[in-house]
């Protein structure tokens, strides 16, 4: 059996942890999107809460910086009525040399139900999932350059909301694919959900070895790669993950790979522009496009709350049944 599947899915086919999109069946991804749809209206209620996770304790364990992901996980947990603990790594005993496992076991001893983990080491969330007590669920909020599954699912949700479906669409991802966990998760999700074509556009220095093996069509020319696509996803240059100088200069990069209105005209008329954030204006995207009418960048952030509510409520629901089994 696929090892990613076995670690994330219960014997009865239900999501137990959410660590990576890779290896999950289309039905499970669709269930996440459908569940998110049912939460998309919660923010418009007078009381922006549903009681699904009342009495549960969710710990945000962020070992790496984050703006959107951490805050939307926190909001999502609160809108599910859970108690949320934001574990501050800078002031925690991790900085006194405590190992990740010891920190985890201490948090478990406080009867936590879920860990939301972000870490700069690829595989960190899988490691945590393998070592937590059986009643604890783990959600990956980004591990190294490996995976960022809730980001990919909120992107799929945005595409479905804006264009009605993912199936049959042509999607291009432009930029630093090599260092991007977001791109890896998006590529898996798009292929599982039946996109017609997933393209990547990047200079050779910003692509992993054998990029085609990811399930994409590779372009080095931006104008070619944008032709007739339904969705344009822009990525930031992840300079903090670059070992050496992979680019001549930011100006040169913008000249070759920056998204401008003129370039966007190559895409289909109905094409939408997405970006996981943080955006670097004038490096990978022109302000006119980022703030333009085809941009759905801020809606991605809003939808991120409903998608994270969906994932957390699903894994918590399945945690409860596994507890009963063990009684
Ligand atoms: C991304 C991340 O941290 O992986 N941002 C995010 O979660 N929205 C992408 C990035 O840092 O460029």
């Amino acid at each position: 059996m696929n090892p990613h599947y076995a670690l994330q899915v219960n014997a009865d086919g239900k999501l137990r942890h959410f660590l990576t999109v890779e290896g999950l069946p289309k039905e499970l991804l669709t269930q996440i999107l459908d569940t998110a749809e049912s939460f998309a209206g919660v923010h418009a209620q007078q009381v922006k809460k549903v009681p699904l996770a009342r009495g549960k304790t969710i710990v945000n364990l962020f070992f790496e910086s984050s703006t959107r992901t951490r805050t939307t996980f926190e909001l999502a947990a609160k809108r599910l009525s859970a108690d949320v603990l934001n574990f501050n790594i800078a002031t925690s005993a991790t900085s006194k040399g405590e190992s990740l496992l010891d920190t985890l076991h201490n948090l478990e001893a406080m009867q936590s139900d879920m860990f939301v983990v972000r870490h700069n080491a690829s595989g960190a969330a899988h490691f945590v999932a393998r070592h937590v007590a059986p009643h604890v669920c783990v959600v990956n909020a980004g591990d190294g350059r490996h995976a960022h599954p809730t980001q990919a699912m909120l992107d799929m949700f945005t595409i479905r909301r804006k264009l009605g479906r993912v199936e049959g669409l042509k999607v291009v991802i432009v930029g630093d694919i090599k260092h991007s966990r977001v791109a890896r998760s998006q590529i898996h999700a798009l292929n599982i959900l039946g996109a017609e074509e997933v393209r990547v556009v990047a200079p050779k220095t910003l692509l992993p070895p054998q990029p085609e093996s990811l399930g994409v069509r590779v372009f080095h020319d931006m104008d070619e790669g944008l032709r007739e696509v339904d969705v344009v996803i822009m990525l930031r240059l992840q300079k903090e993950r670059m070992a050496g100088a992979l680019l001549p200069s930011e100006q040169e990069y913008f000249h070759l790979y920056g998204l401008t209105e003129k370039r966007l005209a190559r895409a289909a008329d109905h094409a939408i522009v997405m970006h996981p954030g943080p955006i670097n204006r004038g490096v990978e995207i022109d302000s006119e496009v980022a703030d333009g009418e085809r941009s759905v960048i801020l809606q991605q952030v809003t939808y991120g709350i409903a998608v994270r509510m969906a994932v957390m409520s699903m894994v918590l629901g399945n945690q409860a049944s596994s507890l009963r089994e063990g009684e």
Side-chain angles (χ1 to χ4, degrees):
M1 195 195 287
N2 179 317
H4 293 294
Y5 182 91
L7 189 57
Q8 300 188 89
V9 181
N10 271 345
D12 54 0
K14 296 199 169 137
L15 199 64
R16 149 116 186 68
H17 301 295
F18 192 40
L19 310 172
T20 175
V21 170
E22 190 178 356
L24 292 182
K26 183 175 182 179
E27 296 67 41
L28 258 180
L29 299 193
T30 306
Q31 192 194 351
I32 294 174
L33 298 178
D34 292 344
T35 310
E37 200 65 57
S38 75
F39 290 129
V42 171
H43 71 278
Q45 292 171 195
Q46 205 167 20
V47 177
K48 297 192 198 59
K49 272 183 193 287
V50 288
L52 283 170
R54 194 166 53 198
K56 300 288 183 188
T57 305
I58 297 179
V59 182
N60 268 332
L61 267 175
F62 278 59
F63 294 88
E64 200 190 70
S65 62
S66 168
T67 310
R68 281 151 290 271
T69 306
R70 202 199 60 71
T71 45
T72 53
F73 261 112
E74 180 174 353
L75 267 178
K78 287 181 168 163
R79 288 191 186 164
L80 289 171
S81 310
D83 295 313
V84 189
L85 206 93
N86 287 306
F87 188 71
N88 190 340
I89 305 305
T91 56
S92 75
T94 307
S95 57
K96 296 183 187 170
E98 187 174 77
S99 78
L100 175 59
L101 271 187
D102 284 328
T103 306
L104 277 181
H105 291 323
N106 278 275
L107 291 164
E108 260 172 20
M110 301 171 202
Q111 280 92 35
S112 308
D113 296 288
M114 184 192 301
F115 293 136
V116 177
V117 183
R118 168 170 288 199
H119 202 286
N120 65 7
S122 299
H126 282 69
F127 175 82
V128 173
R130 274 194 204 96
H131 290 91
V132 285
H135 68 279
V136 179
C137 4
V138 180
V139 176
N140 186 3
D143 63 321
R145 54 173 87 171
H146 174 232
H148 193 350
T150 59
Q151 176 69 46
M153 292 315 294
L154 77 87
D155 295 331
M156 298 308 112
F157 186 81
T158 306
I159 294 173
R160 211 174 76 158
R161 273 253 162 152
K162 294 290 159 189
L163 301 175
R165 66 197 199 285
V166 175
E167 235 164 57
L169 297 184
K170 289 197 182 81
V171 180
V172 66
I173 308 173
V174 184
D176 184 0
I177 311 293
K178 180 176 180 160
H179 302 98
S180 178
R181 54 194 174 209
V182 174
R184 275 175 191 70
S185 288
Q186 287 168 336
I187 293 166
H188 285 301
L190 288 163
N191 282 321
I192 294 168
L193 290 172
E196 184 189 319
E197 188 173 87
V198 187
R199 304 178 184 175
V200 296
V201 176
K204 281 203 177 72
T205 49
L206 295 182
L207 283 170
Q210 281 122 31
E212 289 85 1
S213 66
L214 297 173
V216 294
R217 196 169 152 205
V218 178
F219 293 79
H220 300 296
D221 182 277
M222 175 90 164
D223 289 326
E224 287 286 309
L226 284 178
R227 192 169 289 154
E228 292 305 317
V229 293
D230 304 287
V231 179
V232 184
I233 301 177
M234 301 303 298
L235 297 174
R236 178 178 72 94
L237 296 172
Q238 303 211 354
K239 289 193 217 115
E240 72 279 16
R241 296 192 199 284
M242 292 184 192
L246 298 180
L247 293 166
S249 73
E250 286 186 352
Q251 287 90 327
E252 168 108 13
Y253 181 80
F254 183 71
H255 176 65
L256 291 172
Y257 296 101
L259 187 63
T260 58
E261 286 289 352
K262 188 161 168 249
R263 283 224 163 97
L264 186 55
R266 298 251 170 188
D269 290 341
H270 58 260
I272 54 171
V273 175
M274 300 172 61
H275 194 309
I279 65 171
N280 289 160
R281 292 168 186 265
V283 181
E284 75 273 6
I285 191 165
D286 197 26
S287 272
E288 215 188 336
V289 179
D291 304 328
E293 60 182 19
R294 302 222 234 168
S295 163
V296 297
I297 296 172
L298 291 178
Q299 285 157 67
Q300 287 173 261
V301 179
T302 307
Y303 294 150
I305 302 170
V307 169
R308 290 178 171 128
M309 286 172 78
V311 168
M312 291 198 281
S313 65
M314 281 168 66
V315 292
L316 279 173
N318 303 330
Q319 168 220 25
S321 65
S322 68
L323 255 191
R324 273 198 296 278
E325 280 157 25
E327 274 168 8

